[in-house]
């Protein structure tokens, strides 16, 4: 019987910071959730480590790409592969565990309890009683980008870029991953834009849910650079134009 949920974990040169024991412990304790690691052509020993994890538990599998295609493509290929296994829910999670694996259970419960929901996303909101640790610059830069993304999508989304998302496997969510993404860094926004184009903004508002995370930690080692931020702004402008054309066509 296939796992109810399959989570894609994209990896590129993660051998030094991948918490292997945390992943094995979670997969062992939650047989209804399978983990699919996608090695994005790593040049270190990541692939060897993932093969070792796969050998330790049936809840972990590894997809080793022959070349470096980037996180966006690695996530897309992983989600497509996971969906073919017959899971009810498919998502992706950052390998650095900035969002703890325990949050996956909350996401699954949210989709299970609300049949109308198609997408559950983590939101990094600094609230009393929540432990969200983020560098000040990244926090404010993130708020500026989130506001721009919200305007581009025509949807009041708080945090498009959190690397913790879970999707119900439906035609509209599957369509969001069917073709390659145009953006390397803000493919999360592109996923939402494609979903909105499929169901319309009114339905999207009631079918997407953001969950404020109880814990999130800004783990050192981000591969995002200034030039990537500039490219992300350009990509967001293209997505906004596409959304405007789509709205005019409806």
């Amino acid at each position: 019987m296939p796992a109810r949920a399959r989570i894609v974990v994209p990896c590129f040169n993660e051998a030094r910071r991948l918490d292997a024991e945390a992943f094995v412990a979670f997969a062992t304790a939650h047989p209804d959730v399978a983990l699919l690691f996608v090695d994005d052509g790593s040049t270190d020993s990541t692939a060897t480590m993932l093969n070792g994890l796969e050998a330790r538990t049936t809840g972990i599998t590894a997809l080793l790409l022959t070349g470096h295609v980037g996180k966006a493509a690695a996530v897309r290929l992983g989600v497509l592969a996971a969906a073919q296994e017959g899971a009810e829910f498919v998502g992706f999670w950052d390998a650095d565990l900035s969002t703890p694996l325990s949050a996956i259970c909350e996401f699954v419960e949210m989709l299970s309890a609300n049949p109308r929901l198609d997408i559950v996303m983590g939101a990094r909101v600094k609230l009393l009683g929540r432990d969200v640790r983020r560098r000040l610059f990244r926090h404010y830069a993130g708020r500026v980008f989130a506001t721009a993304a919200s305007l581009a999508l025509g949807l009041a989304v708080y945090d498009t870029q959190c690397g913790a998302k879970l999707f119900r496997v439906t035609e509209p969510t599957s369509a969001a991953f069917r073709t390659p993404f145009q953006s390397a860094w803000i493919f999360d926004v592109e996923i939402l834009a494609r979903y909105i184009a499929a169901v319309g903004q009114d339905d999207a508002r009631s079918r997407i849910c953001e969950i404020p995370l109880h814990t999130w930690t800004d783990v050192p080692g981000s591969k995002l650079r200034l030039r990537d931020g500039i490219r992300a702004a350009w990509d967001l402008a293209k997505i906004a134009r596409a959304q405007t054309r789509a709205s005019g066509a409806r």
Side-chain angles (χ1 to χ4, degrees):
M1 183 176 179
R4 190 177 189 196
R6 290 187 175 272
I7 305 298
V8 173
V9 184
C11 299
F12 178 66
N13 291 346
E14 296 284 357
R16 288 188 177 182
R17 65 174 189 168
L18 194 73
D19 190 345
E21 297 307 317
F23 284 109
V24 171
F26 180 84
T28 302
H30 300 87
D32 58 332
V33 179
L35 303 176
L36 171 60
F37 287 87
V38 180
D39 178 54
D40 183 19
S42 295
T43 56
D44 64 358
S45 59
T46 297
T48 301
M49 176 179 284
L50 297 185
N51 283 331
L53 291 180
E54 187 175 33
R56 290 177 64 181
T57 174
T58 57
I60 292 178
T61 55
L63 173 61
L64 308 181
L65 304 182
T66 56
H68 181 52
V69 296
K71 182 177 180 180
V75 167
R76 191 182 78 87
L77 293 171
V79 167
L80 291 175
Q84 290 179 350
E85 297 298 321
E88 183 179 354
F89 310 128
V90 173
F92 55 89
W93 219 257
D94 282 342
D96 61 12
L97 296 184
S98 48
T99 305
L101 291 168
S102 57
I104 294 173
C105 300
E106 186 179 2
F107 284 27
V108 170
E109 289 173 7
M110 179 64 75
L111 284 179
S112 299
N114 298 275
R116 183 167 172 77
L117 285 181
D118 275 350
I119 302 174
V120 173
M121 312 190 304
R124 298 163 290 186
V125 187
K126 299 192 68 152
L127 299 170
L128 291 175
R130 310 266 171 162
D131 185 15
V132 176
R133 305 180 187 182
R134 198 176 189 189
R135 281 171 285 172
L136 198 60
F137 173 77
R138 291 196 69 178
H139 169 73
Y140 286 115
R143 296 314 314 136
V144 170
F145 180 84
T147 300
S150 182
L151 292 172
L153 293 170
L155 202 66
V157 57
Y158 182 86
D159 188 358
T160 60
Q161 300 310 110
C162 180
K165 293 181 173 65
L166 189 66
F167 307 83
R168 189 185 306 278
V169 179
T170 64
E171 173 53 33
T173 57
S174 298
F177 293 90
R178 197 159 287 149
T179 58
F181 298 120
Q182 295 183 353
S183 176
W185 286 105
I186 61 167
F187 65 92
D188 307 71
V189 179
E190 202 168 345
I191 290 169
L192 295 177
R194 293 179 179 189
Y195 181 78
I196 293 168
V199 304
Q201 284 186 328
D202 289 340
D203 270 358
R205 290 188 182 95
S206 63
R207 291 179 177 272
I208 301 173
C209 176
E210 290 185 280
I211 297 181
L213 297 171
H214 292 280
T215 302
W216 190 89
T217 304
D218 197 349
V219 179
S222 170
K223 300 177 178 66
L224 184 63
R225 301 292 181 264
L226 177 60
R227 64 178 180 273
D228 300 315
I230 296 171
R231 178 60 187 270
W234 175 253
D235 288 346
L236 185 59
K238 292 195 295 184
I239 292 172
R241 288 196 296 270
Q243 283 295 95
T244 300
R245 289 196 298 269
S247 297
R250 283 196 290 267

